[in-house]
Amino acid sequence: MSDVPPATTAPADLDATSTPPGPAGPSVTGDDPALRAAYRLCRHRTKHEDPAEYALIQLVPAALRPALHALWAAANALDDLGDDRTAPAAERAARVGAWITALHRELPTGTSPDPIRRALVDTANRWRLDLSELRDAMAQVQDDTVGRHFTDWAEWRAWGRDNLLPWFGLVRTVFDRAGVPVALRLDTREAYEEFLDGVRLTDILTDLAADLAQGDLLLPAEALDLHPGSAADLARRRWSPDVAALVGHLTGLARQWVSDESLTRGMHPGPATVLHTMAALLRAQLDAIDAAGPALLRSPPRPALRTRARILAPARTRAALAWRLTPLTVPPPQQPDAHRPPSPVRPATVPGPFRPPPPHPSGARPPGIPPGDLPAHAAVIMDGNGRWAQQRGLPRHEGHRAGAAAVREVVHGALDVGLRHLTLYTFSTENWHRDPEEVDAILDLLRREMTDNPFRDLDVRLRWHGRAGRLPPDLVDVLHLRERTTRARTGLTLTMCIDYGGRDELTRAAAALAGRAREGRVEPGLIAEEDFARHLPLADLPDVDLLWRTGGEQRVSNFLPWHAAYAELHFTPGLWPDTDRRDLWQALTAYTHRQRHHGATPDPAGADGPSAAHRSTAAARPGR
């Protein structure tokens, strides 16, 4: 038996899984009766608990439906545990945590005693889904057990997107694995996230009665304040003019967010039909919310059956035609009790405690630098990859491959020592002028590193700084994915500068300020440094305290000119592929011996040497 409270139990009267023959053979879910029953349960719950979601899944090929049912049912089962108000918050949080821990333990085994987790585990292994992308979304369900309050729309959006984007990202991955990538153009990425904002807001308005009964009001104070009295009236479950105005305002916002026709432009007609139909069903749901009036505070409104039929009938026809012309690649089901060969992709991991970085092979330990003496932000120009390869008679791209291993080592060292921000100059705007074969090799290496996600189990928040226009769309897509799925991590923030140039960054900030001045929102004569900094493309990137360059060159090469204006410069002769965490530790130790005055008069007490605070770390040098 499972040692987790049973969130899901399979009813005995479920009808058989209706999966017609497809590319994977006569049975999509295999011959294991328990596994087929698990998928059948997921399908049953989807159909009976969310008919609209079920109808959308019916628009995809039969071979893909079990995976989507499993993903939906798992997300819903976890939410049900967190929302079960028959238990106190601490107990609900413990149940959610136990469910997550069980999934973490069961994923490598390929099975689970809980039917919904069993279907999810099978889906993850068959479709090679990286469930570590759900780490923050699942942890958020645990955090939500104590209630949520949102000051403004920014907080609300971050909460909703952190929850929805990873699950929708896995759905996109299923399509990608099947050979139908749901590619998003760079100019539609924000529209995609706003679409999911509309999904979340529609869901909140639909469930308003149930949430209020539990004492929850999942709307930002910024929206409530526009209609004084609405929050108090909703707390008393009283329909009032303020509440009516608030609901009308919110349904208008949601309708705007789910109605961007550009979202599916250029997309395969199969997924495009699903998204178009989803938008139409959401708008119908918003119409039902508008029409409900006071009944909205008593029960969830639903569109009329004829309205849904009018939307779904033509969608089924379009979807059937689109998929009939599309060859699919569907992984075969696992055989029960059979030895499974290793997956070509490392098995996925799921939420659990972040593991520490692996120790250095030599046993070297990080220097004991007090946190107050560490630089808040270290930036690195990783120079010497090409020269390293040429010295060994290898193609230049082999140097970049070796450099990727050095990146992992230095990130491990940053975690070891407690560094908060590390920024790496990965690919500059000038690097496009290199030989096209070398450029392609670098971009391919970046794509593979981001796909492999070597820091998935570490407390590393990944960010990307640079332009998107010239980069391959699939690289941009995976960079955005890593940003989204690590956004809530609080350890090391690792910023990768890819297609980045310092002068380009300053030019973009100046253009943004000029636009604000033209709109009359900024007075040109009163522009201060803080105004300029707020308009930089990555405005919250902290100033660089230590700028380190390997490879023997002594220049900053158009790297972070604004942020590194007062940085301490550290140049070392070793080529980047020969670098490991001990070199980072030496750079950080050297930083502690610098006196930083920023133009002020030096402290006479420390004029002849390191400050007292830095002297305490003078002997703490890492071993080589």
Side-chain angles (χ1 to χ4, degrees), residues 443-596:
L443 297 179
D444 184 61
L445 176 63
L446 286 172
R447 184 188 299 106
R448 283 187 280 109
E449 283 291 298
M450 290 297 100
T451 301
D452 290 347
N453 196 11
F455 310 125
R456 73 180 72 198
D457 298 325
L458 305 176
D459 193 8
V460 175
R461 179 190 182 196
L462 184 70
R463 303 187 77 188
W464 163 44
H465 191 15
R467 280 189 175 271
R470 292 185 290 189
L471 294 174
D474 57 345
L475 173 57
V476 173
D477 207 37
V478 74
L479 286 168
H480 279 296
L481 174 65
R482 297 291 167 246
E483 284 191 311
R484 289 196 306 267
T485 55
T486 63
R487 181 161 43 194
R489 300 188 185 188
T490 58
L492 173 70
T493 296
L494 174 64
T495 303
M496 309 286 285
C497 290
I498 303 174
D499 200 9
Y500 168 86
R503 288 184 174 180
D504 174 73
E505 177 184 34
L506 299 181
T507 301
R508 292 161 67 188
L513 261 178
R516 301 273 287 183
R518 186 175 60 248
E519 295 165 359
R521 305 177 70 176
V522 173
E523 176 58 45
L526 299 178
I527 291 175
E529 287 186 12
E530 293 78 11
D531 299 304
F532 192 89
R534 279 195 298 270
H535 289 81
L536 290 165
L538 206 60
D540 59 344
L541 187 71
D543 282 350
V544 174
D545 297 308
L546 171 66
L547 179 60
W548 169 31
R549 180 174 187 142
T550 63
E553 303 290 348
Q554 298 191 15
R555 57 179 180 272
V556 295
S557 296
N558 197 25
F559 185 40
L560 299 175
W562 180 272
H563 302 88
Y566 289 100
E568 298 294 323
L569 304 181
H570 183 73
F571 301 107
T572 54
L575 305 179
W576 178 252
D578 292 325
T579 301
D580 70 14
R581 69 187 79 182
R582 294 171 297 178
D583 297 287
L584 172 69
W585 296 340
Q586 287 181 345
L588 297 176
T589 302
Y591 170 85
T592 67
H593 301 152
R594 306 280 184 94
Q595 289 194 54
R596 309 193 72 208

Side-chain angles (χ1 to χ4, degrees), residues 53-92:
E53 183 75 21
Y54 180 80
L56 289 169
I57 294 176
Q58 290 298 103
L59 298 179
V60 308
L64 277 60
R65 292 174 198 164
L68 304 189
H69 288 145
L71 288 168
W72 184 91
N76 202 49
L78 203 57
D79 283 341
D80 287 348
L81 284 176
D83 290 340
D84 179 13
R85 295 309 174 103
T86 63
E91 184 177 338
R92 284 183 278 125

Side-chain angles (χ1 to χ4, degrees), residues 370 372-373 592 610-618:
D373 288 353
T592 67
S611 67
H614 288 163
R615 280 193 215 103
S616 66
T617 63

